[in-house]
């Protein structure tokens, strides 16, 4: 029902804005289009938006069309949402090809590897994060993006646990802070309980303050998520979703 509500709110905006840049578009229009497409494609899970995003991204990567940066910002993650292994491979190839020439494009496709909803591909991304193919400074931010994808949390979390002792103690302070931001998104009862236990057991001395803050965030967020889950159906009924 929540998906239907999002569809109802944002579909008229897409109808008004269209998919393509117009000469009269203001900067607000361009930003609105990006937001609207993202809400319809990723939150409402509109099949037509996802299919068109995939078609356009395939054309862009295949060299038969060139998408503007704002269009790429919207469509790259949408296409990834239910993307297959072939698309994952194309994204990974693109980010590797752009490493030395276009940092913005490399980052766009690298982060979008974290948007794949398929469990096997999400696990593949999680494992990639802890290889030499990903720079150390990017690992925490990629985990934030990965754990921000609900379908990926349950498969990404075991990979992080397995690699914690080998990678986390030696991370720089800023990367550890990003890692805490990733862990704070594990708000289900099961995952939050496991994350809190791990932080209490394995946080190094320099992480203890960050870990304590993250534990409190997890405790509160998990309780809130449970409360909202129980109230959401009635709330959606009340607004006619």
């Amino acid at each position: 029902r929540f998906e239907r509500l999002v569809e109802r709110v944002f579909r008229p905006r897409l109808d008004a804005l269209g998919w393509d840049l117009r000469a009269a578009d203001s900067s607000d229009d361009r930003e609105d289009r990006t937001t609207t497409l993202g809400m319809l494609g990723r939150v409402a899970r509109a099949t037509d938006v996802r299919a068109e995003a995939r078609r356009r991204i395939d054309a862009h990567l295949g060299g038969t069309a060139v998408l503007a940066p704002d269009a790429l910002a919207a469509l790259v993650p949408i296409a990834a949402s239910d993307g297959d292994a072939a698309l994952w491979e194309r994204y990974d190839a693109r980010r590797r090809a752009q490493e030395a020439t276009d940092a913005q494009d490399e980052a766009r496709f690298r982060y979008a590897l974290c948007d794949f909803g398929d469990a096997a591909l999400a696990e593949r991304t999680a494992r990639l994060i802890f290889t030499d193919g990903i720079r150390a400074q990017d690992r925490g931010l990629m985990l934030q993006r990965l754990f921000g994808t609900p379908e990926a949390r349950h498969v990404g979390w075991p990979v992080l646990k397995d690699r914690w002792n080998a990678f986390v103690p030696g991370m720089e302070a800023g990367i550890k802070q990003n890692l805490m931001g990733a862990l704070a998104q594990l708000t289900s009862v099961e995952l939050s309980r496991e994350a809190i236990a791990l932080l209490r057991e394995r946080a190094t001395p320099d992480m203890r303050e960050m870990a304590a803050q993250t534990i409190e965030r997890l405790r509160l967020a998990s309780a809130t998520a449970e409360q909202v889950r129980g109230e959401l159906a009635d709330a959606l009924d009340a607004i006619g979703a």
Side-chain angles (χ1 to χ4, degrees):
R1 283 177 289 180
F2 180 68
E3 293 170 354
R4 292 200 301 270
L5 174 62
V6 173
E7 170 90 21
R8 194 173 72 194
V9 170
F10 286 93
R11 180 65 70 172
R13 292 299 304 144
L14 181 59
D15 293 340
L17 290 164
W19 282 77
D20 299 309
L21 179 66
R22 304 167 300 185
D25 278 347
S26 66
S27 59
D28 286 344
D29 289 331
R30 297 177 70 156
E31 183 176 352
D32 193 8
R33 183 181 292 107
T34 297
T35 300
T36 297
L37 286 168
M39 292 300 292
L40 287 170
R42 302 196 67 197
V43 181
R45 306 177 68 87
T47 55
D48 63 319
V49 172
R50 289 188 169 203
E52 180 63 11
R54 176 64 186 266
R55 186 190 70 78
R56 292 179 179 232
I57 290 299
D58 280 342
H60 179 80
L61 293 174
T64 59
V66 178
L67 296 175
D70 57 334
L72 285 171
L75 301 185
V76 167
I78 294 172
S81 296
D82 54 5
D84 53 16
L87 189 64
W88 193 100
E89 292 282 0
R90 296 185 84 183
Y91 277 27
D92 189 46
R94 178 70 174 220
R95 65 103 187 162
R96 286 186 280 109
Q98 297 292 71
E99 280 181 328
T101 57
D102 190 333
Q104 184 179 36
D105 201 51
E106 183 274 334
R108 179 182 295 117
F109 283 92
R110 170 165 42 83
Y111 285 123
L113 291 173
C114 303
D115 297 323
F116 282 78
D118 178 83
L121 298 177
E123 181 177 356
R124 191 172 179 183
T125 298
R127 293 182 182 280
L128 174 66
I129 290 171
F130 295 102
T131 67
D132 292 340
I134 299 298
R135 294 168 296 191
Q137 64 265 31
D138 294 325
R139 288 181 179 136
L141 292 172
M142 287 189 72
L143 286 168
Q144 280 194 27
R145 181 80 165 246
L146 186 71
F147 288 173
T149 303
E151 301 90 342
R153 292 172 190 159
H154 286 274
V155 294
W157 166 239
V159 175
L160 172 59
K161 285 195 297 183
D162 287 346
R163 287 154 178 75
W164 185 282
N165 290 343
F167 285 89
V168 174
M171 287 179 172
E172 295 180 0
I175 303 174
K176 288 179 178 177
Q177 187 69 53
N178 292 332
L179 176 62
M180 294 299 106
L183 291 175
Q185 297 179 96
L186 301 177
T187 55
S188 72
V189 172
E190 175 190 358
L191 293 182
S192 65
R193 185 183 299 120
E194 291 183 8
I196 288 170
L198 181 142
L199 286 170
R200 286 174 172 161
E201 177 186 350
R202 301 196 206 177
T204 52
D206 62 312
M207 293 173 63
R208 284 176 184 158
E209 183 176 354
M210 289 187 290
Q213 293 171 351
T214 303
I215 287 170
E216 183 64 9
R217 289 172 64 188
L218 280 167
R219 187 184 66 80
L220 294 174
S222 178
T224 300
E226 282 299 293
Q227 179 180 348
V228 169
R229 184 176 294 109
E231 299 172 350
L232 184 58
D234 290 341
L236 291 174
D237 285 339
I239 60 178

